[in-house]
Amino acid sequence: MSNEKANESKLKKTILKNKKLIIIISTIIVLIAGVTFGYFINIKNKVDSWENKIYPGVQAYGIDLGGKTKEEAVNILNEQLIPLIGNKVITITVGEKTFELKYSDINPSVSADETVEEALNYGKDNKMFKKKKIIENGIDYKVDTILSYDEEKVKEFANSVNEQVKVDAIDAKISISGSNVSITPEVTGKHIDIEDLCNKIKESIDPNPEKVETATVDLQDYSPSITSADLSKITGVMSSYSSTFGTSDTGRVENLRISTGYINGTLLMPGEEFSYNNTIGPTTPERGYKEANTYVGSKIVPGYGGGVCQVSSALYRAVIQANIRSTERRNHSMTVSYAKPGLDATVAAGYIDYKFVNTYDFPIYIQGYLSGNKVVFNVWGNKEAMGGKTYELVNEILETYTYGTEEVQDSTLPEGTRIVTSSGANGYKASGYLITYENGVQVNKELISTDVYSTRNQVVSVGTKKVEAPVTPTPEETTPTESPTEEVPAA
């Protein structure tokens, strides 16, 4: 019995001892858990407090953004970075010259919102203890930003540089006096490749205030549009034509001289189009043109530039006989004295022009001048290209329309008197053909145009004034001493 009691007592002591140990261990565990929980809570609170702030050590081009909220960082970048960028320059070297492009001249701006967003998010995807370490120790991280600017300003700068360094090319020139041909050689020009300079500037642009940017471009040679090699292809006269004019109307003669002078020396490169109206310009008194008879509808009236249609008609004949077709040509509405029906070319500023394109693969030169009472045009070019052929423009009358007579009573003339106050002219339908000759033999006949010319009635003034003495009136009929020589169609 005594042994059983002793064992029971010993067991009770052991259980009591274990209970105390459990209590102690539990207490220790609770304490440790409490301390650990508090530690984690402390860390979490600290990490969470930086959730809307940029971690220490994050910067943008030397500007520290650590500890700043998004709004604060955006304000800092706008206030500090833009002025720093605006003070930057890009140094451009062209040969021995240097130019500076100021950033402030190209309206720079940075994407502060995007830059700060990147700065704010940096490190936020790490585990909590990694974030704690970054917060306590900081991190060396530099955020880049996107710089926006006005590309048109860059192009303007590149054009300005080119204007300051370029050397203009000078076309070769040809002068023909009589049969003497003189060629002045061309001058090679120099310029920069503007697109290349723009690209190099764009590649150099960097928002980093501490980065120095430079760009270098070379001057490039470029040939002028017309070279002495081009002009050397002009070897002789391909075709000629002259048109005779009266000399009594001094104003008309002056108009012939002025308009022919504007055409003389015209050089047309391959594929280039000639416009008669553009070449002679406005036929105004300010430019020296005089009044002379012209057609307006079916009437003869004075007008500035009277005579220029004879020049255009003569030029038409010379050019087409060089085997060059017209791209725009119109006949007069009535016949003219200086050209057969189908062989003329009228003009009227603003709506009727005479045009042609140089269809050869070499330049042509138009020589024009007045010689005595003739308008003369020579078309110079590569004579060998004619292949020994010559060309002639001829006409063929298809129909003739006889003019009528209009009588106008005139109370200032004695009864029975008849005076022709405006001569009549027949109308025609006529075709123009270009005849090709080879070694003097006709080898081709090409229809160029079919034109219609209206009649112009003769106008006769008939006297109605009563005479006192009974006399037998003798009919009298006179004609003007001059006939109309050209037309300017009515507007």
Side-chain angles (χ1 to χ4, degrees):
M1 280 302 283
S2 59
N3 286 336
E4 290 179 1
K5 289 182 179 180
N7 288 335
E8 185 179 349
S9 176
K10 186 177 180 180
L11 179 58
K12 288 180 179 180
K13 289 179 180 180
T14 300
I15 292 173
L16 181 60
K17 183 178 180 180
N18 288 340
K19 284 182 177 181
K20 290 180 179 180
L21 181 60
I22 291 171
I23 292 172
I24 292 170
I25 292 172
S26 298
T27 301
I28 292 172
I29 290 173
V30 170
L31 289 173
I32 291 173
V35 171
T36 302
F37 180 74
Y39 178 71
F40 273 98
I41 291 298
N42 183 57
I43 292 175
K44 185 178 185 304
N45 289 338
K46 186 173 184 179
V47 169
D48 288 348
S49 68
W50 283 82
E51 190 63 27
N52 295 319
K53 292 190 291 186
I54 299 170
Y55 285 154
V58 177
Q59 55 182 282
Y61 306 108
I63 300 175
D64 185 11
L65 302 178
K68 303 298 188 293
T69 64
K70 181 177 180 178
E71 183 179 357
E72 291 171 340
V74 168
N75 291 336
I76 289 173
L77 287 184
N78 286 331
E79 291 173 2
Q80 296 184 28
L81 186 56
I82 290 298
L84 288 174
I85 294 173
N87 291 331
K88 292 187 64 176
V89 296
I90 300 177
T91 302
I92 312 296
T93 302
V94 183
E96 297 180 354
K97 294 184 177 181
T98 59
F99 305 86
E100 288 189 346
L101 170 60
K102 296 179 181 179
Y103 274 54
S104 57
D105 291 337
I106 58 174
N107 302 331
S109 63
V110 295
S111 52
D113 286 337
E114 295 179 18
T115 302
V116 171
E117 191 70 31
E118 180 183 347
L120 184 62
N121 291 332
Y122 183 75
K124 300 294 170 60
D125 56 349
N126 288 315
K127 301 296 184 181
M128 186 172 65
F129 283 101
K130 179 65 174 177
K131 294 180 181 179
K132 173 180 175 294
K133 186 177 180 180
I134 294 174
I135 292 170
E136 291 176 347
N137 301 326
I139 190 168
D140 185 14
Y141 181 73
K142 297 177 175 61
V143 184
D144 291 330
T145 187
I146 299 173
L147 178 67
S148 301
Y149 53 90
D150 188 338
E151 293 193 14
E152 283 300 315
K153 295 292 184 182
V154 173
K155 190 173 182 180
E156 288 176 12
F157 173 79
N159 281 317
S160 173
V161 170
N162 185 55
E163 287 297 319
Q164 296 177 68
V165 299
K166 73 175 183 179
V167 176
D168 289 330
I170 301 176
D171 288 336
K173 292 181 174 57
I174 185 170
S175 175
I176 298 178
S177 178
S179 59
N180 297 320
V181 179
S182 175
I183 296 176
T184 303
E186 71 276 12
V187 174
T188 300
K190 292 182 180 293
H191 65 177
I192 61 172
D193 186 330
I194 292 176
E195 184 177 357
D196 180 48
L197 176 55
C198 287
N199 289 336
K200 288 185 175 180
I201 290 173
K202 293 174 185 178
E203 292 169 2
S204 300
I205 290 175
D206 192 311
N208 188 346
E210 297 180 356
K211 187 175 180 181
V212 177
E213 288 110 14
T214 61
T216 301
V217 290
D218 298 322
L219 277 171
Q220 301 177 354
D221 291 341
Y222 74 98
S223 299
S225 302
I226 303 171
T227 66
S228 53
D230 296 326
L231 299 183
S232 64
K233 297 176 183 177
I234 298 176
T235 58
V237 176
M238 299 170 65
S239 64
S240 297
Y241 186 79
S242 62
S243 177
T244 303
F245 59 86
T247 58
S248 60
D249 188 341
T250 57
R252 189 171 189 279
V253 173
E254 180 65 7
N255 294 337
L256 297 176
R257 183 191 67 78
I258 293 174
S259 54
T260 302
Y262 278 119
I263 298 166
N264 181 47
T266 295
L267 180 72
L268 287 181
M269 299 301 289
E272 190 173 356
E273 186 175 53
F274 172 89
S275 163
Y276 184 84
N277 286 341
N278 290 345
T279 302
I280 72 167
T283 57
T284 60
E286 291 78 14
R287 301 182 72 243
Y289 285 96
K290 308 298 182 183
E291 280 192 319
N293 283 343
T294 65
Y295 282 154
V296 174
S298 60
K299 295 182 178 180
I300 305 169
V301 297
Y304 285 101
V308 297
C309 286
Q310 181 167 0
V311 175
S312 61
S313 295
L315 179 62
Y316 167 61
R317 297 289 295 276
V319 170
I320 201 165
Q321 289 177 182
N323 199 28
I324 298 175
R325 309 297 185 275
S326 307
T327 55
E328 183 178 335
R329 172 261 170 191
R330 192 185 299 182
N331 63 291
H332 290 79
S333 60
M334 293 180 290
T335 58
V336 290
S337 62
Y338 52 77
K340 294 179 180 179
L343 306 183
D344 59 322
T346 188
V347 292
Y351 60 100
I352 300 177
D353 202 353
Y354 164 54
K355 296 180 180 180
F356 63 89
V357 171
N358 176 13
T359 51
Y360 289 107
D361 61 358
F362 52 82
I364 61 171
Y365 178 95
I366 300 175
Q367 183 183 42
Y369 55 90
L370 266 58
S371 177
N373 65 335
K374 292 182 178 180
V375 176
V376 181
F377 282 111
N378 298 317
V379 179
W380 289 69
N382 186 349
K383 192 174 181 180
E384 292 73 20
M386 303 288 284
K389 296 178 180 179
T390 57
Y391 301 86
E392 181 185 11
L393 189 65
V394 300
N395 79 325
E396 180 181 329
I397 302 297
L398 304 177
E399 297 178 16
T400 301
Y401 314 117
T402 305
Y403 70 87
T405 299
E406 297 178 11
E407 294 185 351
V408 178
Q409 292 186 341
D410 189 339
S411 61
T412 65
L413 294 176
E415 255 185 332
T417 302
R418 297 173 60 85
I419 298 177
V420 177
T421 56
S422 179
S423 59
N426 288 336
Y428 298 94
K429 181 178 183 180
S431 291
Y433 292 91
L434 188 64
I435 309 298
T436 304
Y437 298 95
E438 191 168 6
N439 299 320
V441 178
Q442 179 177 327
V443 295
N444 191 44
K445 182 179 181 180
E446 178 187 352
L447 176 65
I448 297 299
S449 66
T450 298
D451 306 317
V452 175
Y453 299 81
S454 301
T455 59
R456 185 181 71 250
N457 287 336
Q458 174 181 261
V459 178
V460 178
S461 292
V462 179
T464 60
K465 183 180 181 181
K466 298 291 184 180
V467 292
E468 294 181 358
V471 295
T472 303
T474 302
E476 181 180 347
E477 199 167 281
T478 61
T479 59
T481 57
E482 292 200 24
S483 60
T485 54
E486 71 154 13
E487 170 203 21
V488 175

